[in-house]
Amino acid sequence: MTTRRGFLTGMASTVCLPSIVRAQSASTLKFAPQSDVAILDPIMSVSYVTRNHALLVFDTLYGADEHNRTQPQMVEGHRVEQDGRQWTLTLREGLRFHDGSPVLARDVVASVKRWWKRDNVGQVLAAITDELSAVSDREVRFRLKSPFPMLPDALGKFGTNNAVIMPERLALTEATVQVTEMVGSGPYRFVAGERVPGSRLVYAKFDGYVPRQSGTTSALAGPKIAHFDRVEWVVMPDVATAASALQTGEIDWWEQPASDYWDLLAANKDVKLDLIDSFGSAGVVRFNFLQGPTSNVLVRRAALAAISQRDVMTAVIGEDAQRWKEKVGYFLPGTPMASEAGLDALKEPPDREAARRLLKEAGYKGEPLVYLVPGDVATIKAQGEVVADALKQAGFNIDMQVMDWGTVLTRANNRQGPDKGGWHLVGTFTAGVGLLNPSSNNFLRGSGTSAIFGWSDVPRLEELRMDWFRAPDEKAQAAICAEIQRVAFETVPYAPTGLYFQQTAYRNNLTGVQKGLPLFYGVRRT
């Protein structure tokens, strides 16, 4: 970090010099995403860059606003009958897919059934649904075994694996197979012919989109009005290139500027730094439950004991402690489901001698552990370097394999041994909003091979999760979450590595940038 900061100091005067660039097009927005979109199908990936891509192309039945309050989106409204066991959703008139076909209830039924095979809370909804059917072209009916008041929240949530609606012909694709076309009904359509993998994605305004006529545009809720004819995603893994491009006006928006550049960008009168995600980003080191030695709980506890959240956050976002939080457990600090339960496992400085004892007790013989780290995502790469060093100091034999993020995502789904492309540890970050409760934290699942990559097999976590859904009030839910956190620190489905607050940066002639996540409707150039 020191060398890089010194380099930045030396180049600042060069980067900030005025330069002549082509005039910005009033009709095109150029955006540098955090990485390329390796997987386009939003049902097939828990990557946030995939989610951001999907929310341009697809729409959802409901949408959470910036305060995580769910509002109708594609639906005109709903009726709840039979003591909460029957929900009838009515679609708004005029909804059309990008291929020109109308959005019908049968498209919704097929899309929801595909979604709930992959999503955390969707699987709960599926389990309590007796029947999901299209009762007319515009009406969708859920007949439930028991009341599920969270139904709109499930269908309109933040996070990944959003319940996007696609044509029935695509939604009938198996949930384990990627769809072959990106056809949604959102405000922008995907221009497949202009995609250059690793370099560019293009979206064109969908003139057939019908926004809601009421409400306030806020995150996934309210009218979604596209002011640009085109949105171009320009993949720029080199942070110096992205910083220069933003300052000269070659791009309009850099999703995740490296923290080393924040002061430099803030000093540029043509650039605005903005914290649009107040929930933050939470660090995760995921363990593979299917492969030894990480299938051994003592090895996972040893890794947890060795990692310093303070060291990780300092490397990721800098020494200013106002930019990050440590002592972060399995729920978002300061929210109703967070507690102190089990937090004594997170010691500062970390107890690496205790980690060595746990490794010895586990019978660990120094087998190499494959740790997948993306070299093209600066924050995850910084986390990976610190974690790998900490584990080595505690006696682990770490084989840190650095590759592009798309390859990490592909290999993360490989359940075979490391000699066949598998792995033992994967590092990532997840949106803090996903840590609000057990319904949204996919990494807290204990359902084995039906869980996301890592396949954590902790039946007690699943029991407690279902108890949380059935709890009568928030107080009871909070008590269950305290127990979930205790069990998680004992079984370690993943090691939490802290929470940081990522600034975004865009040209100051952009207005209407939404809070919550990178969205492109409502944004215009002044």
Side-chain angles (χ1 to χ4, degrees), residues 25 91 110 203 211 220 251 268 275 345 353 355 388 464 473:
S25 168
L91 295 172
Y203 308 85
L220 308 188
I251 60 172
N268 188 318
L275 178 64
E353 186 55 44
L464 289 166
D473 53 41

Side-chain angles (χ1 to χ4, degrees), residues 262 273-280 500-504 515-516:
W262 290 3
L273 277 177
D274 193 3
L275 178 64
I276 64 173
D277 181 7
S278 60
F279 294 106
Y500 77 93
F501 301 95
Q502 173 69 52
Q503 299 273 354
T504 196
K515 296 294 184 182

Side-chain angles (χ1 to χ4, degrees), residues 31-338:
F31 173 77
Q34 57 184 274
S35 70
D36 189 23
V37 185
I39 299 174
L40 296 174
D41 186 345
I43 304 303
M44 290 289 293
S45 174
V46 295
S47 166
Y48 283 94
V49 71
T50 295
R51 175 206 59 186
N52 299 343
H53 142 80
L55 292 175
L56 272 159
V57 178
F58 299 97
D59 213 345
T60 53
L61 299 171
Y62 296 85
D65 67 15
E66 64 185 83
H67 304 293
N68 204 34
R69 298 175 302 210
T70 305
Q71 302 174 28
Q73 186 50 239
M74 293 178 72
V75 299
E76 180 180 281
H78 60 249
R79 300 192 310 275
V80 183
E81 302 166 301
Q82 298 183 10
D83 298 323
R85 290 181 292 107
Q86 180 169 292
W87 290 66
T88 303
L89 282 50
T90 303
L91 295 172
R92 289 191 286 120
E93 292 185 350
L95 300 178
R96 304 194 74 80
F97 287 114
H98 299 157
D99 62 5
S101 61
V103 177
L104 302 176
R106 65 172 182 261
D107 301 306
V108 172
V109 170
S111 296
V112 170
K113 287 183 175 179
R114 183 170 189 262
W115 160 76
W116 70 19
K117 292 177 181 177
R118 303 278 298 189
D119 183 66
N120 188 357
V121 67
Q123 291 169 5
V124 175
L125 177 58
I128 66 167
T129 299
D130 270 335
E131 182 183 23
L132 172 57
S133 61
V135 294
S136 71
D137 281 351
R138 289 181 56 212
E139 288 191 319
V140 177
R141 180 164 294 160
F142 289 83
R143 289 199 306 105
L144 307 177
K145 298 180 176 69
S146 58
F148 190 68
M150 291 180 61
L151 189 144
D153 301 314
L155 297 174
K157 66 185 177 70
F158 273 114
T160 56
N161 287 137
N162 304 81
V164 299
I165 305 304
M166 58 184 65
E168 181 185 44
R169 63 183 176 84
L170 296 176
L172 291 176
T173 304
E174 285 295 326
T176 55
V177 178
Q178 292 194 54
V179 294
T180 56
E181 301 172 63
M182 290 291 104
V183 178
S185 63
Y188 285 91
R189 58 182 179 81
F190 182 61
V191 185
E194 295 193 49
R195 184 191 182 198
V196 180
S199 178
R200 186 177 70 170
L201 301 98
V202 176
Y203 308 85
K205 180 179 178 180
F206 176 44
D207 292 329
Y209 184 73
V210 180
R212 290 196 67 83
Q213 297 302 304
S214 62
T216 301
T217 305
S218 177
L220 308 188
K224 298 179 178 179
I225 301 174
H227 295 290
F228 288 93
D229 292 334
R230 283 168 63 92
V231 175
E232 296 182 6
W233 284 23
V234 185
V235 181
M236 292 184 168
D238 182 77
V239 293
T241 301
S244 177
L246 180 65
Q247 294 187 95
T248 58
E250 295 172 51
I251 60 172
D252 299 290
W253 188 352
W254 183 12
E255 181 186 359
Q256 292 191 358
S259 61
D260 289 342
Y261 286 84
W262 290 3
D263 291 341
L264 182 66
L265 295 174
N268 188 318
K269 63 181 178 57
D270 295 322
V271 173
K272 180 176 180 179
L273 277 177
D274 193 3
L275 178 64
I276 64 173
D277 181 7
S278 60
F279 294 106
S281 296
V284 169
V285 175
R286 186 72 162 154
F287 302 102
N288 192 334
F289 275 58
L290 300 182
Q291 301 295 334
T294 49
S295 62
N296 187 321
V297 66
L298 296 178
V299 170
R300 300 194 299 272
R301 288 181 189 168
L304 180 68
I307 295 170
S308 163
Q309 291 193 354
R310 183 180 302 168
D311 289 350
V312 171
M313 290 296 103
T314 300
V316 166
I317 212 69
E319 297 179 358
D320 184 351
Q322 293 187 355
R323 296 177 176 178
W324 48 264
K325 290 183 181 293
E326 58 182 324
K327 275 286 189 181
V328 176
Y330 292 91
F331 296 101
L332 192 66
T335 61
M337 298 301 116

